[in-house]
Structure formats: C-alpha cells, structure tokens
Amino acid sequence: MLKILVADDDDNIRNIILHYLRKQQIHAFEADNGKSALDIVKEKQPDLIILDLMMPEMDGYDVCREVRRGSNVPIIFLTASGDEFDRVLGLELGADDYIVKPFSPRELISRIKAIFRRVNSSNIETIKEQKYTYDYGVIKIDIDRREVIIKDMKVTFRPKEFDLLVYLAESPGNVYTRETLLEQIWGYDYFGDIRIVDAHIKKIRNKLKEVGCNVLRTVWGVGYKFEVEPETSTLIEKR
C-alpha cells in the first residue's frame, strides 16, 4: 500500500489532507511538528512526504535537509507564502513541488500523481480518479455529469464557470485570491486580464441568484469563497 506522510501543525489542514488521501486507499501518517515528521520518515519510510514549511521544533527546510542526506523520497512543500525566495530555496533543498495555501484537495492529488509520473513510479496506479457529488442542501454539484441542481432545477453553466464553481465548492470557507483562481482554472500560461475571474464570478452569481441561491462570497481585498451552512453540507463519494 502506498504510504504518505502529512506533516503540518495546522490540525484542520492536516485532517483535510488525510481524509482525501485515505479516500484514495493510501496509508497516511501524520505529524504536527518537524521532529516527529523526521522520526516517522526514519521509522516508516514513506513513499512521499507532504511537508509544511513553518512548523515547531524543526521547520520544513531543516526536515528536508535531513531527509535528503539519505533519501530521494519525493517531497511536496506546503506554505502560506507565495514568495519566490521561499519557493526557490525549497526547490534547491530538494523539494519536488511546492503548493501555496489555500489549495484544493483535487489539486494536491493531481500534484502527487504528477510527481509519481515524473519518477516513473508504479505508485501512480494506486491513485485512482475519484468522482464526487457535493450536496450542500440548496445546491448539488455532480462532478461526473457536470451538472448543478438547485431546488430540484438543473442550472446550466459554461465549462469555465462550472470548473470555477467546483474549485471553490471543494473547500467551503477557504478564501482564494483572483491570482490563484486564474492559475488553477485558466492555467499558468494564461496571459489575459485577471478581471476575467471577476466576470465569471458575476455570471455564476447571476445564474445562482435566478434560483434563489447565494453561496459565493466576496472577501474584500482578498478574493472569493464558497460558503454554506455546515449542517446542510455532505460529500458523497460515487462508487
């Protein structure tokens, strides 16, 4: 069974990642500080490490240095900072990839698969594509069928609108900047106006408003988030 270590001192982020990894039938270990992470690496010899940069006792940089003394295990850095210096330093220390928080679980799974693909690892066969239906009471999003149902009515969205809505809905409450949404939905090589994100959000909101649904929020000066009442939210795995 594929083994992955998740090292992050943020309980919420760590638990979300663990949940998605275990949905993939991955044996996931966890650590809330750098020293524990290093101990688990030595004892369990994971196939990949997801490593937060800022942790107590030992930060991610020091853990990476120690791991690289005797192992080439793939490492993905997690950080709240998108600073280029941090990114370059992490990669120079031997990290294989770098993800800035907040991120969607689907993005993380894609990055893991990409790493195993690059190293020609058979572990990529372990990670299956999961299809989900997000049911938030007033709104239901079927990713497999690319359908949005609101109050028993099907609402039609254009491809980019649907992808943007899904990306936000995957992590309710997480705030995403326009830059992050542009990169994740339109791609890193998109050179158009960043206001395309605002335009698509407006179109999505107008369609939602027509059927009395208000799940997209603007966080002024930051970006956007998907927000629903916790008691109405469920995630259904489609088997």
Side-chain angles (χ1 to χ4, degrees):
M1 180 181 288
L2 181 61
K3 299 180 294 183
I4 292 180
L5 167 62
V6 181
D8 195 309
D9 62 335
D10 187 316
D11 293 343
N12 184 51
I13 290 177
R14 194 174 65 250
N15 289 334
I16 289 173
I17 296 173
L18 290 169
H19 169 78
Y20 275 85
L21 292 179
R22 287 165 181 163
K23 282 284 186 181
Q24 299 279 351
Q25 305 301 312
I26 293 170
H27 192 175
F29 307 105
E30 61 179 304
D32 60 5
N33 65 75
K35 186 177 182 302
S36 295
L38 199 56
D39 290 341
I40 292 174
V41 170
K42 293 175 180 177
E43 179 183 353
K44 304 295 186 180
Q45 297 183 344
D47 300 296
L48 182 140
I49 303 170
I50 300 170
L51 186 61
D52 184 34
L53 284 183
M54 305 309 295
M55 291 187 295
E57 298 196 36
M58 287 180 71
D59 64 25
Y61 293 126
D62 288 337
V63 173
C64 185
R65 286 189 187 96
E66 288 299 315
V67 170
R68 283 290 174 258
R69 293 180 188 275
S71 172
N72 288 319
V73 59
I75 295 175
I76 297 177
F77 270 143
L78 300 180
T79 180
S81 170
D83 186 85
E84 182 180 7
F85 175 80
D86 290 339
R87 204 160 52 237
V88 171
L89 178 57
L91 295 172
E92 286 182 346
L93 288 174
D96 296 86
D97 206 346
Y98 189 104
I99 299 182
V100 178
K101 303 174 186 178
F103 56 88
S104 76
R106 186 170 57 166
E107 177 189 3
L108 180 59
I109 295 298
S110 295
R111 298 288 188 98
I112 292 172
K113 292 181 70 172
I115 286 175
F116 286 138
R117 192 177 295 114
R118 287 200 300 269
V119 300
N120 296 317
S121 172
S122 60
N123 285 323
I124 191 173
E125 300 300 328
T126 304
I127 306 174
K128 307 295 184 184
E129 287 293 336
Q130 299 286 346
K131 299 298 183 182
Y132 296 100
T133 293
Y134 293 94
D135 191 341
Y136 295 112
V138 69
I139 180 171
K140 180 179 178 181
I141 305 172
D142 189 321
I143 297 176
D144 193 17
R145 296 183 178 182
R146 295 183 70 84
E147 290 182 349
V148 178
I149 308 296
I150 300 173
K151 298 178 182 177
D152 297 323
M153 294 180 289
K154 185 157 86 169
V155 181
T156 302
F157 292 92
R158 292 182 178 275
K160 281 291 190 289
E161 294 169 359
F162 182 83
D163 292 342
L164 183 55
L165 179 61
V166 168
Y167 190 85
L168 291 166
E170 285 182 322
S171 301
N174 275 5
V175 181
Y176 294 96
T177 65
R178 291 169 177 83
E179 290 80 8
T180 294
L181 295 173
L182 187 69
E183 291 175 352
Q184 296 303 318
I185 305 304
W186 280 267
Y188 291 93
D189 55 351
Y190 179 80
F191 293 105
D193 194 327
I194 196 170
R195 286 177 295 182
I196 193 173
V197 175
D198 299 325
H200 277 68
I201 289 288
K202 183 177 180 179
K203 290 177 182 177
I204 295 170
R205 276 181 169 154
N206 287 340
K207 291 179 180 180
L208 295 175
K209 187 177 180 180
E210 288 177 1
V211 288
C213 181
N214 180 25
V215 292
L216 296 188
R217 304 281 189 270
T218 298
V219 180
W220 297 108
V222 184
Y224 300 103
K225 67 177 178 177
F226 183 99
E227 189 171 77
V228 292
E229 294 297 325
E231 61 269 21
T232 67
S233 306
T234 59
L235 171 63
I236 305 171
E237 181 181 353
K238 297 184 69 178
R239 298 185 182 279

